[in-house]
Amino acid sequence: MPDVPVAPTISPAVSSTTQLNLFRDAINFALGVPLAQLRQTVAQTLANNTWTAITFTTGEDVDTDVDGTGGHSTSSNTSRYTARYPGWYQCSGAVGYSANTTSIRGARWAVNGVTMDAAGVILNTTSSSFAVVPAATLVFYLTIGDYVELQGLQVSGGNLDTAVTS
């Protein structure tokens, strides 16, 4: 995993190619910070009363960073965005649920499988149409290899699908 480039301190004298390349790398990183926008395109069945990581198997609208690799895979661990650079990551998201008027729906964030404090929202279901529950928008400090997941909860008495049309 690459490190975040740091601009060097150089004297006013003639700069070496190595020093100039360090400036180039720092500028390229600032112009290509890690960014992902993921979307669920296939409904996922969530078990009753169980927080479940939401999968994003094909819906990458954006997944990029300075070297073009990105932090999300559509083939393995599809619920995870994995940090390739250390730093602060802002996470926003929501979970859509199929129509069902029974009980509650929820959305929250987990880092490395651990629920984050104040990262969740739980709403009572009152409509016979689909429901969308936003997770709190939070900022997390991630080190290289840490991963963040959006999790959903539904309490309807049985399995319930996510709604990908929302």
Side-chain angles (χ1 to χ4, degrees):
M1 299 281 174
D3 289 328
V4 174
V6 177
T9 302
I10 58 174
S11 65
V14 176
S15 301
S16 70
T17 302
T18 301
Q19 291 172 319
L20 292 174
N21 286 343
L22 291 172
F23 274 114
R24 178 206 61 207
D25 293 346
I27 290 169
N28 284 341
F29 181 82
L31 294 173
V33 295
L35 174 67
Q37 180 174 308
L38 309 176
R39 180 172 38 88
Q40 193 175 59
T41 58
V42 177
Q44 177 182 353
T45 301
L46 303 184
N48 183 60
N49 203 22
T50 304
W51 284 100
T52 305
I54 302 301
T55 57
F56 304 98
T57 53
T58 60
E60 285 184 353
D61 294 329
V62 177
D63 183 21
T64 189
D65 53 34
V66 68
D67 65 7
T69 301
H72 179 259
S73 171
T74 57
S75 59
S76 66
N77 297 319
T78 61
S79 64
R80 297 178 180 183
Y81 178 86
T82 303
R84 299 187 64 248
Y85 299 90
W88 291 97
Y89 287 76
Q90 179 176 314
C91 299
S92 300
V95 180
Y97 295 92
S98 295
N100 183 303
T101 59
T102 304
S103 202
I104 61 171
R105 308 291 175 265
R108 72 179 184 190
W109 295 106
V111 174
N112 298 328
V114 177
T115 304
M116 304 311 296
D117 289 338
V121 175
I122 295 178
L123 300 174
N124 285 319
T125 303
T126 59
S127 173
S128 60
S129 64
F130 65 84
V132 178
V133 179
T137 297
L138 297 174
V139 179
F140 304 113
Y141 187 86
L142 303 177
T143 60
I144 295 172
D146 285 347
Y147 64 91
V148 63
E149 292 177 303
L150 177 62
Q151 297 179 335
L153 171 75
Q154 63 84 20
V155 182
S156 66
N159 292 344
L160 186 66
D161 288 346
T162 58
V164 296
T165 58
S166 52

